Amino acid sequence: MTSTEFTTADHASAFVPSPATPYQGDIARYWNNEARPVNLRLGDVDGLYHHHYGVGAVDHAALGDPQDSEYEKKLIAELHRLESAQAEILLDHLGPIGRDDTLMDAGCGRGGSMVMAHQRFGCTVEGVTLSAKQADFANGRAGELGIEDHVRARVCNMLDTPFETGQMAGSWNNESSMYVDLHDLFAEHSRVLAVGGRYVTITGCWNPKYGQPSKWVSQINAHFECNIHSRREYLRAMADNRLVPQAVIDLTPDTLPYWELRATSSLVTGIEEAFIESYKDGSFQYVLIAADRV
Ligand SMILES: C[S@@+](CC[C@H](N)C(=O)[O-])C[C@H]1O[C@@H](n2cnc3c(N)ncnc32)[C@H](O)[C@@H]1O
Ligand SMILES: CC(C)=CCC/C(C)=C/COP(=O)(O)OP(=O)(O)O
Ligand SMILES: [Mg+2]
């Protein structure tokens, strides 16, 4: 399996809506141009392409001896395993989802989480991304897997989706909520979710206990052209939009091993220090929030 640029007759970029703001145009361009080896080489391991980070303990036995000629390959497989484990944890918090249900992936990237959700629940998954290239890629993978009737990505603003009110049994943001206003975001999730539906996010947020965004948080914002919110903002914006948290889990200790391992790999991008230092000084947290639409 290798990463391919997909061209399909029915591809998502056939109709690309104008970005709602100049910022969204910049973000669309950013993800259309993104081709970092740390994402493509990890995705090539099993065809699940993620743009999020990993959680869980490193399996040092599986990695073996760093002097071994196969070590780098094993390191890439291990980082990928931890990223897929992160998506499994997100899906665990969606609750019972049936084959006839539909889920929304807000900011779906290349679609790895969507494929995993369909494989787990047998349900339909609708993804939205600002990037035509990502949507084409995700739809190409769904086609290769023969699940294109259940997994679909489209170029669309997650703050203004074409889905019907109450259509979704569940929805999520996997590391994509730092690109939007949280009140606008949760208003749209609240609209598309059925009453009793479940919303889940895994995100990085700055910690109000630190005071203000630290220099490391500012560095992460500049690196990705995003705007990391505080933990307090998430909870306030959910409360204002009929989303009642059922679980708030601090995944910071669980994501540090991923970063420390990644920092030793040949695929480093230069942002590793900012994540490691901000998680360690307490200014930044990696959290999962699961909320019920009431
Ligand atoms: C870091 S990637 C995460 C991708 C995916 N959730 C994953 O876990 O692999 C951020 C994603 O958010 C999307 N995004 C950012 N702002 C958006 C918006 N306003 N509407 C739709 N997608 C958006 C980007 O296009 C990109 O796909
Ligand atoms: C937790 C936070 C603040 C995330 C910011 C959003 C983001 C860019 C996530 C990872 O994308 P990626 O997988 O494309 O990044 P990388 O190339 O660093 O692996
Ligand atoms: Mg990545």
Side-chain angles (χ1 to χ4, degrees):
M1 162 79 52
T2 55
S3 51
T4 325
E5 294 309 326
F6 295 101
T7 46
T8 54
D10 180 28
H11 60 87
S13 59
F15 171 71
V16 178
S18 305
T21 58
Y23 172 75
Q24 287 194 4
D26 284 345
I27 298 307
R29 267 188 293 281
Y30 176 97
W31 289 107
N32 283 337
N33 292 329
E34 189 279 337
R36 288 185 285 276
V38 72
N39 297 315
L40 297 176
R41 298 231 3 235
L42 269 63
D44 289 344
V45 169
D46 63 2
L48 291 170
Y49 290 84
H50 300 307
H51 287 283
H52 59 250
Y53 300 121
V55 291
V58 171
D59 183 348
H60 289 285
L63 281 173
D65 181 355
Q67 306 307 321
D68 192 299
S69 60
E70 293 285 288
Y71 181 79
E72 188 64 19
K73 198 173 155 203
K74 290 179 186 167
L75 179 52
I76 286 167
E78 183 64 1
L79 289 171
H80 183 64
R81 185 183 70 79
L82 298 175
E83 291 189 1
S84 289
Q86 186 264 28
E88 295 287 6
I89 289 173
L90 188 153
L91 299 179
D92 288 344
H93 285 83
L94 283 172
I97 300 293
R99 300 183 69 79
D100 295 335
D101 286 332
T102 303
L103 302 174
M104 179 176 77
D105 182 348
C108 63
R110 285 188 154 98
S113 304
M114 288 202 288
V115 171
M116 289 173 66
H118 170 70
Q119 288 175 340
R120 183 191 285 216
F121 302 118
C123 64
T124 295
V125 191
E126 298 278 3
V128 296
T129 169
L130 292 176
S131 159
K133 201 162 151 200
Q134 286 189 328
D136 282 350
F137 192 101
N139 289 331
R141 278 300 296 138
E144 284 191 342
L145 293 166
I147 57 173
E148 68 274 20
D149 51 342
H150 282 88
V151 171
R152 177 162 62 142
R154 66 182 87 200
V155 182
C156 173
N157 177 7
M158 64 170 101
L159 305 179
D160 182 18
T161 69
F163 307 120
E164 284 169 31
T165 298
Q167 184 184 342
M168 303 294 168
S171 64
W172 72 82
N173 284 98
N174 198 350
E175 296 189 20
S176 53
S177 52
M178 57 289 289
Y179 294 95
V180 289
D181 176 274
L182 291 182
H183 278 85
D184 294 347
L185 176 67
F186 294 143
E188 185 62 357
H189 280 284
S190 194
R191 186 188 69 76
V192 301
L193 279 170
V195 173
R198 178 57 71 82
Y199 170 76
V200 184
T201 184
I202 296 183
T203 189
C205 52
W206 64 266
N207 189 353
K209 271 176 74 177
Y210 186 83
Q212 285 288 326
S214 65
K215 65 178 177 183
W216 302 117
V217 170
S218 300
Q219 197 173 313
I220 296 168
N221 277 336
H223 185 85
F224 291 115
E225 300 178 37
C226 67
N227 173 32
I228 291 164
H229 306 288
S230 70
R231 192 163 40 122
R232 186 167 51 199
E233 283 175 78
Y234 278 92
L235 297 173
R236 194 170 282 167
M238 283 184 185
D240 288 347
N241 286 286
R242 295 179 168 269
L243 293 169
V244 175
Q246 301 296 311
V248 182
I249 303 173
D250 183 0
L251 294 172
T252 309
D254 301 309
T255 194
L256 255 172
Y258 164 89
W259 282 103
E260 284 168 341
L261 183 65
R262 174 166 152 157
T264 69
S265 87
S266 64
L267 302 178
V268 288
T269 62
I271 200 61
E272 288 75 15
E273 182 190 22
F275 277 89
I276 292 169
E277 294 305 321
S278 60
Y279 285 145
K280 284 188 173 168
D281 73 14
S283 63
F284 188 49
Q285 288 178 305
Y286 197 52
V287 297
L288 177 150
I289 307 174
D292 280 342
R293 164 70 163 93
V294 297

